[in-house]
Amino acid sequence: MTVRQTAEALGLTLLCGDGDREISGVYVGDLLSRCMSRVTEGCLWITIMSNINAVAVAALTDPACIVFCEDVEIDDVVLDRARENDIAIAKSTLDAYALCVAYHNACGENQ
Amino acid sequence: MSEAVKFHFDVDGSDFSSAGAASVMVKKKLRQLGYPPEVIRKVSIAMYEGEINMVIHANGGTADVEVYDNEIVIILSDKGPGIPNIELAMQEGYSTARDNIRNLGFGAGMGLPNMKKYTDSMEIDTRIGEGTTITMRVSL
Ligand SMILES: Nc1ncnc2c1ncn2[C@@H]1O[C@H](COP(=O)(O)OP(=O)(O)OP(=O)(O)O)[C@@H](O)[C@H]1O
Ligand SMILES: [Mg+2]
């Protein structure tokens, strides 16, 4: 599924970035030095760490999209930095578990 | 032998919002130069962790990246407090980061272990009260 298809299926709000990228895999995490080694190219990275340092991690690891979950606040500077680095960001009111379940189900339906 | 490509960065220790910027720049350069994704990934992870450590533990420093035919060398140098016990600092999960830093997502105690894991060699030269220089090599 692409980022846009996933956003539709999971009810995410896509805030910036390329919606046409294909997603491969999911990682959930908030501790940045763990995310640094675990977020892989093209994955969906679900986190509550909606700060500028998360954007730096994404700029280095290149996930297809960061999903800021649990309705965390997102500063404009975060989105600006994401746009500068061509990083897609979406937000959701759901928690990480609910998002993973929804993504899993959506993948099944799209096969 | 072709001339080495070298990059130098001053890493600001007071600006958390730009932490990681030097690593992002190096990643972009290596990509332009056409290095394989695995090499770029290793250099990115190792340099990012070292850069962040200089910002959160040592009030900034300098980062030098030298690209040779057979390896990429990353040298991170700071004038911070030094690392009293390297063996302890190298353990996964060990961190002296304070709460305000942890709230930003740092302090998992995985930075130094990542640097070791994703490079082919890592040397730590540290002096208490004087600073730390870490040299990492990624083979090509
Ligand atoms: N450049 C440095 N100067 C002084 N102390 C350092 C430096 N780099 C690391 N340390 C010390 O080593 C500890 C372990 O570093 P490491 O990078 O593994 O974890 P961390 O920075 O605390 O957390 P994380 O990297 O997971 O966000 C640090 O908490 C700090 O006490
Ligand atoms: Mg660290």
Side-chain angles (χ1 to χ4, degrees):
Chain A
M1 285 196 295
T2 64
V3 169
R4 189 167 294 110
Q5 287 169 329
T6 303
E8 264 163 41
L10 276 58
L12 313 176
T13 312
L14 193 56
L15 301 173
C16 65
D18 175 10
D20 294 327
R21 240 177 119 182
E22 275 296 323
I23 292 172
S24 56
V26 179
Y27 182 72
V28 180
D30 306 314
L31 295 172
L32 295 178
S33 61
R34 286 206 170 261
C35 300
M36 193 62 217
S37 64
R38 289 297 194 155
V39 173
T40 47
E41 192 176 333
C43 83
L44 198 66
W45 174 23
I46 301 171
T47 182
I48 53 163
M49 200 52 71
S50 61
N51 63 23
I52 202 121
N53 304 107
V55 177
V57 169
L60 291 164
T61 54
D62 201 20
C65 185
I66 313 177
V67 182
F68 292 133
C69 63
E70 296 188 38
D71 211 16
V72 288
E73 219 172 286
I74 306 163
D75 281 350
D76 285 342
V77 286
V78 170
L79 295 178
D80 289 344
R81 186 69 62 85
R83 285 188 197 98
E84 279 166 34
N85 287 285
D86 296 320
I87 294 160
I89 292 186
K91 66 171 184 172
S92 172
T93 54
L94 299 179
D95 65 21
Y97 173 72
L99 286 171
C100 289
V101 171
Y103 180 75
H104 178 79
N105 292 339
C107 284
E109 280 160 24
N110 273 271
Q111 251 153 32
Chain B
M1 275 292 272
S2 51
E3 201 59 14
V5 181
K6 295 183 180 179
F7 306 105
H8 175 83
F9 304 91
D10 290 313
V11 177
D12 186 346
S14 63
D15 183 7
F16 277 76
S17 71
S18 69
S23 305
V24 172
M25 205 102 84
V26 166
K27 182 198 170 177
K28 286 180 180 161
K29 298 275 187 204
L30 292 179
R31 219 189 225 173
Q32 281 165 11
L33 292 167
Y35 285 93
E38 317 86 69
V39 168
I40 296 178
R41 181 174 155 78
K42 286 183 187 174
V43 171
S44 294
I45 293 173
M47 181 171 170
Y48 169 83
E49 297 291 3
E51 184 184 351
I52 295 292
N53 278 354
M54 292 199 300
V55 175
I56 66 179
H57 304 299
N59 198 29
T62 59
D64 287 275
V65 179
E66 299 172 0
V67 183
Y68 298 95
D69 288 346
N70 59 340
E71 64 178 1
I72 297 177
V73 184
I74 306 158
I75 304 157
L76 302 155
S77 200
D78 67 59
K79 294 190 162 49
I83 305 174
N85 186 335
I86 294 179
E87 205 186 322
L88 190 60
M90 287 300 301
Q91 282 178 15
E92 292 189 4
Y94 177 81
S95 174
T96 58
R98 284 200 290 261
D99 280 352
N100 60 326
I101 304 282
R102 287 176 192 262
N103 290 342
L104 296 172
F106 304 117
M110 288 304 292
L112 286 170
N114 275 351
M115 289 156 74
K116 173 115 188 118
K117 181 173 168 194
Y118 288 95
T119 56
D120 294 293
S121 82
M122 170 163 128
E123 248 170 64
I124 303 178
D125 180 10
T126 188
R127 271 160 243 249
I128 302 307
E130 288 180 36
T132 302
T133 295
I134 298 185
T135 306
M136 296 177 284
R137 293 164 194 276
V138 173
S139 306
L140 294 173

